[in-house]
Amino acid sequence: MAEASPTLEYKCLLCMKPYNQPRELPCNHTFCCSCLTSYIDKEHRTADEDRHYFPCPVCDKPTSLRDVNTDVDTWGTSFPINNMFINPTVKTSDDENCDACREEGESNPAVVWCTDCAKLLCKQCRSFHKRIKVSPKHQLVPSKDGGYRNTTINENCPNHEERELDVYCLDHSSMCCCICVSVSHKNCNRIKPIDDVIKTTFTGQPSLETAWKIIKDEATTMLEDDESEMTLLNSKEKEVTVEVARMIQQAKDKLDGLNITFKSELADKCNALRKQVSDRMNCVKKFRTNSENSNILMNRIDKQGTDRQRFITREKTKHQMSEHYRHMDQNTEKQPNTFDLKLNIGTVIDDIMKLTSIAKVDVTSKISSTSQNADSRIGTLLATLMATPSATTFADSTSASDLVGSPTRGPATVDVWTCSFSCALSVGSRALAGEVTPCLTGGIFTDSGELLVTDFNNRRLVLFDVNYCYKSEYKVDQMPADITRGLNTDEILVGIREGFMRFTLRNGKLTVIETISCIGVVYGITVLGDNILVSTADSVEVMSSDGKVKKSIQMKKSGYWTPIAVSTYTLKCYYLDGDDIVCRRRDNDVEDYRYSDPGLRDPIGIGLDRDNNVYVCGLDSGNVYIVSPDGSRGKALVPSLSSITNPYGIIVHPTKQEFIVTSYGDTTSLEVYRYFGNT
């Protein structure tokens, strides 16, 4: 009899076990409620106590709760249950019975599940369901497939829970609600109702089951390759351990043999020395015995003998002792009785005593071609799937921007590591007016796609339209060094000499809210989560919204102008420390990486693209470098700037494949660099 296939179960991404009360985060990743609660507790204990968000365990996207007063212990239960991931093995007693019959008080086993009505149906109800006018085309699936009972999909917007996902942005391949369109997709050119996208996209297109199976198979290949390499690593570790143990045992055996030889030679040598001392001792003993006898004899003769007897005995004894002494002296004068044994350790033994380790293991690492190929196939397939909605022509797409037909709109995604960028536009300083030559040090893109930059020398903010033409300016009381979006809607923060200013920008009007002082000159300012990060000449200050310093990150090298950038997706901040590019988690004192390159001299501006590639311009080298998100590689993206000789800032466009380089006191105030093809 053939063995029944095991029931497939959804598994938690933290514990890798079947889900237990699956909870879904806004980023769509799902975890067991208990696993998520444990993770949040651990994450919160290692971070700031007043932080009201946590990074997703999988994608690191910041996740926050609407109610900031919610106790941390209950954060995990605050997220909705993902009914799709409730395993089919977790059933109630009624899960196998027909829903329609149960409503009539009957109990009949279900055979199908209607995906449109979300009900289980028995054989009789299935027939009736097919006949009634409203449901002949409903999709029915076998109930034995499991997982359908009470299964619903959350169709609400993750950013605005009270709104349904009813709009699709083809520029970002993103589902959103009408509020998202008005706030975050004003500059997007192709906005379409989701129902229209569904009809256009899936009509006549093949099932995606093959794609998901390929992705799963390739991931399995990568995992099997990793497991194989892990087994090989363990095997190599044992081999190296055995080899070192064998060599040590050989060395021990050799040393034991040499030790036996050494002790034998030492014993022979000492025996010879002992014989010399023994012969000397015998000679001296005889002389001493003779002298004792002579002393006794002379004492007796002196008491009992005559003068003649004393004279004769004394003379005989003198001659006897004199001869005996001469004989003893001859026999002992060349026989030493003092020996100093000094150990002379061999060079090899001496070197062994100086060893601090038995051996060193040199490691060469790489990613196997098997994993590389599988990873590439997954990436290519997912990119194709992400582009599927926009692969169809949408002649009647609506637009949320005045940029329709803009020549700057390129592909949705390109590989910046293989493509080339060139200067597409230069803006001269004269076009910006100003009392002195402009010094553009930082900038942001507004919701409408316009560019707002800080002019340090002229104490103003300069606004450019979507085509980078001068539009207007806003005077400020102090020299603005950098600018960033604030914590609230329509709010911007501007770094000044010893603090920052809070503004609102609504309907083209800039309004000062307050000025907040802090220690040191602020060169860079940005927002991460509910914190404001400012960079000074020698530190990065993590501040609350009211300007109170919560943490200070000291730089190792410091410098004159120290800009800062953050990734709200990974909760990491990037800043310049001397000639180094430094990446670190805001809530962690350990650096993720520190990157430097001889080709990048005096880095001065910094920016991030949507993939967390780091863009830096070199003041002395006059180029633009790009560094990978993990800091493992870098290259000159623009080897030489077109007409700017003193680059000072870099602003990466959030949606387009282009970036802006600003200058300090040049005849050219800014240059726009755009993607134009593969290298």
Side-chain angles (χ1 to χ4, degrees):
M1 179 182 295
E3 185 175 334
S5 300
T7 303
L8 298 178
E9 293 183 303
Y10 301 108
K11 295 180 180 178
C12 172
L13 301 178
L14 282 174
C15 66
M16 303 301 174
K17 297 178 181 179
Y19 278 110
N20 180 16
Q21 298 183 9
R23 299 284 176 162
E24 183 179 14
L25 301 187
C27 59
N28 300 129
H29 289 117
T30 302
F31 311 92
C32 294
C33 184
S34 58
C35 294
L36 185 60
T37 299
S38 298
Y39 167 79
I40 293 173
D41 178 66
K42 181 179 179 181
E43 180 70 21
H44 194 265
R45 281 189 280 108
T46 58
D48 298 331
E49 292 185 358
D50 58 346
R51 196 181 74 178
H52 302 299
Y53 64 91
F54 63 91
C56 169
V58 172
C59 66
D60 283 337
K61 186 174 182 180
T63 306
S64 59
L65 284 79
R66 291 187 177 275
D67 185 2
V68 297
N69 296 318
T70 303
D71 188 77
V72 176
D73 294 337
T74 63
W75 281 12
T77 59
S78 300
F79 296 98
I81 293 177
N82 187 345
N83 288 298
M84 286 295 293
F85 281 2
I86 294 178
N87 284 303
T89 55
V90 182
K91 299 178 180 179
T92 65
S93 58
D94 291 332
D95 274 347
E96 297 298 327
N97 292 330
C98 174
D99 290 326
C101 292
R102 184 164 48 249
E103 292 172 359
E104 299 297 326
E106 300 178 6
S107 179
N108 295 310
V111 294
V112 293
W113 165 265
C114 177
T115 60
D116 295 273
C117 298
K119 287 187 176 181
L120 285 165
L121 303 173
C122 63
K123 186 176 181 180
Q124 183 177 357
C125 290
R126 178 184 64 179
S127 300
F128 180 75
H129 203 69
K130 286 283 188 179
R131 295 173 184 173
I132 61 176
K133 187 175 181 180
V134 296
S135 59
K137 295 184 178 181
H138 284 193
Q139 183 181 6
L140 303 178
V141 296
S143 61
K144 64 180 181 180
D145 289 348
Y148 299 107
R149 179 79 172 104
N150 292 331
T151 296
T152 57
I153 296 177
N154 182 9
E155 298 184 9
N156 291 336
C157 175
N159 299 316
H160 309 94
E161 293 182 358
E162 71 281 2
R163 298 283 182 174
E164 285 190 350
L165 293 167
D166 52 8
V167 179
Y168 193 88
C169 173
L170 281 86
D171 288 344
H172 291 93
S173 296
S174 173
M175 296 183 296
C176 52
C177 67
C178 56
I179 297 179
C180 292
V181 172
S182 62
V183 174
S184 304
H185 296 269
K186 289 182 179 180
N187 195 37
C188 297
N189 300 315
R190 297 178 297 167
I191 304 295
K192 190 78 173 177
I194 281 184
D195 290 340
D196 292 350
V197 175
I198 293 171
K199 294 176 183 177
T200 310
T201 302
F202 291 101
T203 301
Q205 291 193 2
S207 170
L208 294 178
E209 290 185 7
T210 302
W212 304 135
K213 184 177 184 304
I214 292 174
I215 292 174
K216 184 198 73 171
D217 291 344
E218 294 298 343
T220 301
T221 298
M222 293 180 67
L223 181 59
E224 290 176 347
D225 185 51
D226 289 344
E227 290 174 345
S228 175
E229 291 300 324
M230 179 69 78
T231 301
L232 182 60
L233 176 62
N234 294 336
S235 176
K236 289 182 178 179
E237 180 187 19
K238 291 181 180 179
E239 290 178 4
V240 171
T241 302
V242 170
E243 178 63 16
V244 170
R246 184 187 64 81
M247 295 177 65
I248 291 175
Q249 188 58 51
Q250 285 184 340
K252 286 181 177 179
D253 293 342
K254 180 67 174 178
L255 289 175
D256 288 342
L258 292 176
N259 185 34
I260 293 173
T261 301
F262 169 75
K263 289 194 291 185
S264 176
E265 293 176 350
L266 177 63
D268 291 343
K269 183 173 293 187
C270 289
N271 286 337
L273 297 177
R274 279 191 287 269
K275 185 176 184 307
Q276 292 181 26
V277 176
S278 179
D279 291 344
R280 177 187 174 89
M281 288 173 60
N282 289 333
C283 187
V284 173
K285 282 182 179 179
K286 290 179 180 179
F287 181 77
R288 188 189 66 174
T289 300
N290 195 7
S291 64
E292 287 178 349
N293 293 337
S294 298
N295 183 49
I296 295 172
L297 176 62
M298 292 305 301
N299 286 333
R300 182 179 178 183
I301 291 297
D302 285 342
K303 291 179 180 180
Q304 300 178 4
T306 62
D307 291 339
R308 180 180 175 84
Q309 288 175 334
R310 284 196 296 271
F311 175 79
I312 293 173
T313 302
R314 186 180 298 114
E315 288 302 316
K316 286 182 179 180
T317 301
K318 285 194 307 182
H319 287 286
Q320 181 193 47
M321 291 297 298
S322 177
E323 287 296 324
H324 197 165
Y325 169 75
R326 182 180 61 80
H327 179 74
M328 181 195 71
D329 186 54
Q330 288 178 349
N331 290 332
T332 60
E333 64 176 347
K334 293 182 180 181
Q335 289 183 335
N337 63 344
T338 300
F339 306 98
D340 185 12
L341 298 181
K342 185 176 182 180
L343 185 62
N344 186 8
I345 300 294
T347 303
V348 175
I349 299 297
D350 193 41
D351 290 341
I352 290 176
M353 297 303 296
K354 295 177 182 178
L355 287 178
T356 57
S357 64
I358 293 297
K360 292 183 178 180
V361 177
D362 296 326
V363 178
T364 57
S365 60
K366 66 177 183 179
I367 299 176
S368 68
S369 58
T370 301
S371 288
Q372 285 182 341
N373 292 337
D375 180 77
S376 176
R377 286 191 288 269
I378 292 174
T380 301
L381 185 53
L382 284 175
T384 302
L385 293 176
M386 290 296 293
T388 297
S390 57
T392 308
T393 303
F394 292 93
D396 58 342
S397 295
T398 56
S399 175
S401 169
D402 59 352
L403 292 180
V404 175
S406 170
T408 65
R409 189 176 72 242
T413 304
V414 297
D415 186 356
V416 294
W417 290 90
T418 60
C419 71
S420 298
F421 285 79
S422 63
C423 183
L425 177 67
S426 295
V427 177
S429 299
R430 291 185 178 180
L432 306 184
E435 298 176 1
V436 296
T437 303
C439 172
L440 307 184
T441 53
I444 60 171
F445 283 95
T446 66
D447 288 336
S448 59
E450 296 177 323
L451 177 65
L452 185 63
V453 299
T454 53
D455 183 354
F456 186 77
N457 284 350
N458 289 289
R459 299 192 179 193
R460 62 177 178 170
L461 306 181
V462 181
L463 183 66
F464 296 85
D465 64 16
V466 293
N467 295 314
Y468 303 110
C469 295
Y470 173 83
K471 184 175 181 179
S472 61
E473 65 180 56
Y474 305 95
K475 288 291 186 179
V476 294
D477 295 336
Q478 301 190 48
M479 292 180 170
D482 196 12
I483 185 172
T484 186
R485 292 175 180 268
L487 296 169
N488 303 311
T489 305
D490 297 330
E491 182 184 72
I492 61 172
L493 306 176
V494 176
I496 55 178
R497 184 168 182 81
E498 292 184 353
F500 60 89
M501 301 178 70
R502 179 177 276 115
F503 298 86
T504 57
L505 182 60
R506 296 190 181 100
N507 300 321
K509 183 179 179 180
L510 186 72
T511 304
V512 180
I513 303 300
E514 62 178 333
T515 299
I516 297 178
S517 300
C518 62
I519 300 174
V521 179
V522 173
Y523 293 118
I525 185 169
T526 188
V527 170
L528 182 59
D530 50 7
N531 295 281
I532 300 171
L533 278 65
V534 300
S535 55
T536 66
D538 53 13
S539 68
V540 173
E541 306 293 335
V542 181
M543 311 174 73
S544 58
S545 59
D546 58 358
K548 294 181 180 179
V549 176
K550 300 165 65 175
K551 179 184 292 186
S552 181
I553 303 172
Q554 296 299 314
M555 297 184 182
K556 295 180 180 179
K557 300 180 180 180
S558 73
Y560 170 60
W561 202 275
T562 52
I564 186 171
V566 298
S567 168
T568 57
Y569 191 72
T570 61
L571 299 178
K572 293 180 180 179
C573 65
Y574 304 78
Y575 57 89
L576 301 178
D577 186 6
D579 287 337
D580 297 341
I581 302 168
V582 180
C583 169
R584 72 194 309 157
R585 283 276 294 266
R586 184 197 63 77
D587 54 356
N588 194 329
D589 292 331
V590 180
E591 294 177 0
D592 272 23
Y593 70 78
R594 179 177 286 264
Y595 179 90
S596 62
D597 193 298
L600 179 63
R601 300 185 301 277
D602 198 4
I604 195 68
I606 191 168
L608 295 174
D609 65 15
R610 71 185 80 180
D611 297 319
N612 285 337
N613 292 303
V614 185
Y615 295 68
V616 178
C617 56
L619 177 61
D620 185 46
S621 52
N623 54 9
V624 174
Y625 251 71
I626 184 172
V627 179
S628 62
D630 60 357
S632 62
R633 57 175 175 158
K635 76 167 188 173
L637 192 63
V638 179
S640 178
L641 296 173
S642 179
S643 57
I644 290 179
T645 56
N646 296 306
Y648 231 72
I650 189 164
I651 311 155
V652 182
H653 199 286
T655 59
K656 301 177 182 178
Q657 294 293 337
E658 64 185 40
F659 56 86
I660 317 299
V661 178
T662 65
S663 74
Y664 186 98
D666 273 352
T667 56
T668 299
S669 286
L670 64 83
E671 292 178 347
V672 182
Y673 286 85
R674 291 175 182 150
Y675 157 80
F676 70 86
N678 292 336
T679 55

